[in-house]
Amino acid sequence: MTEPGDRAAGDGAVTIVTQTRVLPGREAEFSLWQKETGAVVAGFPGFIEQSVNPPAPPAQVDWVILQRFTTTQAATAWLNSRERLARVAGIQPALSGSDDVHLVRDGAAGVLPSPVSAVISTRVKPGQEAAYRAWEQRIAAAQSRAPGFQGYRFEPPIPGVQEDWLSILRFDTEEHLQGWFASPERLALLKEADAFTEEFHARVVRTGFEQWFPSPIGSPCTSPPAWKQNMLVVLMLYPVVFLFGLAIGGPVLSDWAQMPFAAALFIGNVASVLILSKLVPWVSRRFSWWLRPGETRAWVHPAGAALVVALYGAMIALFLWL
């Protein structure tokens, strides 16, 4: 296996993965602070994009911030900048403990934290790096056989930036991830690691619509672009909302049950989300050629978007006729 750390530090884009826990009652303050920080980082050279994922208990209790830069040097410049350090110092009283901050190189086989992932950081005892690498290969082989396993990424330390060894593993469901965490095989391997590790901790991350867009078996576990995910969600959301309102919302909830509009709308939203959890993964598999076409098939991006827009138009025409 080729380790990500064997490449030059500046080879390709990188993502800063920051996980932080906010004190109860300080969430609004942190949300505003993060919005202002996003405006600051947007002006830094090499910045590409940022996504902020609020907690989603019980699976994810931390805030997870992903900041993508063109190079490791650009990401490091932001991490060490006076602007960032001043902002972090200002919000520190609202935080519980210290942040976990890691750099993950884009384009490697593996995943960023989505849709159901664990970010595991490990502090290795000095001089025990070779033993840790050999152990990491054994646990990587073991977890690849676990039910629901979808991908894995391993990142060695980056001197002056990231002192821990970082691994990110992804499963298709929360149940499968927790099943691997509690498995006797993993617990035995962790006991072996006591001899050459000082400490480690893991945090589970769940974000966005990615859980509805599973990677095909055997393919790199990368999430499709957000705009494509949104287009397919709308493609399924529109007919579900329309048909539910036509068949149930109006005649049953409003007319027969005499429900107030707010209550009927809430029930419709709950039903729509439950139905979409089945429909969107189904349609994403039919559009896998568009979601992940590969770098050599750039023409697929506009072609797929045009097809989705045409389907929008066809549904509107059909529902106008109904």
Side-chain angles (χ1 to χ4, degrees):
M1 179 174 66
T2 301
E3 302 291 2
D6 296 336
R7 300 187 303 273
D11 182 18
V14 299
T15 299
I16 301 173
V17 181
T18 302
Q19 295 173 263
T20 190
R21 190 163 301 179
V22 180
L23 291 172
R26 309 292 290 269
E27 294 86 0
E29 176 186 353
F30 180 82
S31 180
L32 177 61
W33 175 88
Q34 186 57 55
K35 183 177 181 180
E36 294 171 346
T37 302
V40 175
V41 69
F44 265 68
F47 176 77
I48 300 175
E49 61 183 348
Q50 171 178 281
S51 64
V52 179
N53 305 294
Q60 176 188 328
V61 296
D62 302 317
W63 289 72
V64 180
I65 299 97
L66 308 179
Q67 296 168 323
R68 191 161 178 254
F69 287 81
T70 54
T71 64
T72 299
Q73 289 83 351
T76 304
W78 161 246
L79 286 175
N80 297 327
S81 67
R82 289 177 298 175
E83 292 86 346
R84 176 184 175 275
L85 296 177
R87 292 203 58 78
V88 169
I91 197 62
Q92 200 63 47
L95 305 182
S96 174
S98 58
D99 292 349
D100 276 359
V101 181
H102 304 288
L103 265 69
V104 178
R105 296 176 180 88
D106 292 6
V111 290
L112 291 175
S114 68
V116 183
S117 303
V119 180
I120 303 172
S121 58
T122 305
R123 185 69 52 88
V124 178
K125 294 179 180 179
Q128 296 295 317
E129 291 80 9
Y132 178 75
R133 278 183 176 266
W135 174 87
E136 180 275 330
Q137 291 177 355
R138 295 202 304 276
I139 197 170
Q143 68 197 14
S144 68
R145 298 188 295 268
F149 177 79
Q150 288 195 340
Y152 175 70
R153 177 179 292 176
F154 179 68
E155 295 284 344
I158 301 175
V161 178
Q162 173 182 307
E163 302 304 323
D164 292 347
W165 297 71
L166 176 68
S167 57
I168 304 174
L169 54 153
R170 168 174 157 177
F171 282 75
D172 59 351
T173 67
E174 176 72 16
E175 291 74 19
H176 281 148
L177 175 60
Q178 295 301 335
W180 162 245
F181 273 8
S183 67
E185 186 174 14
R186 178 177 181 271
L187 295 177
L189 284 165
L190 291 179
K191 190 172 182 62
E192 289 181 23
D194 289 342
F196 45 83
T197 58
E198 292 181 352
E199 61 176 321
F200 86 99
H201 60 276
R203 296 186 179 184
V204 175
V205 181
R206 181 189 300 272
T207 62
F209 291 137
E210 288 90 348
Q211 61 191 349
W212 289 346
F213 294 85
S215 299
I217 300 299
S219 70
C221 295
T222 54
S223 297
W227 65 272
K228 291 185 178 181
Q229 296 183 41
N230 293 337
M231 287 187 72
L232 289 186
V233 169
V234 171
L235 183 65
M236 293 291 96
L237 178 63
Y238 176 56
V240 167
V241 171
F242 181 90
L243 295 175
F244 184 89
L246 186 67
I248 300 176
V252 178
L253 300 182
S254 296
D255 297 339
W256 180 75
Q258 297 293 303
M259 278 190 179
F261 174 77
L265 181 62
F266 177 78
I267 292 175
N269 287 340
V270 172
S272 296
V273 171
L274 293 176
I275 295 171
L276 286 177
S277 68
K278 303 296 183 182
L279 286 182
V280 175
W282 176 84
V283 77
S284 73
R285 289 191 290 270
R286 272 72 187 169
F287 277 84
S288 60
W289 56 272
W290 177 56
L291 293 172
R292 300 175 179 87
E295 296 180 359
T296 60
R297 304 175 64 195
W299 61 270
V300 171
H301 300 292
L307 175 58
V308 175
V309 171
L311 291 173
Y312 289 164
M315 285 191 298
I316 292 171
L318 175 62
F319 293 155
L320 285 174
W321 177 76
L322 291 177

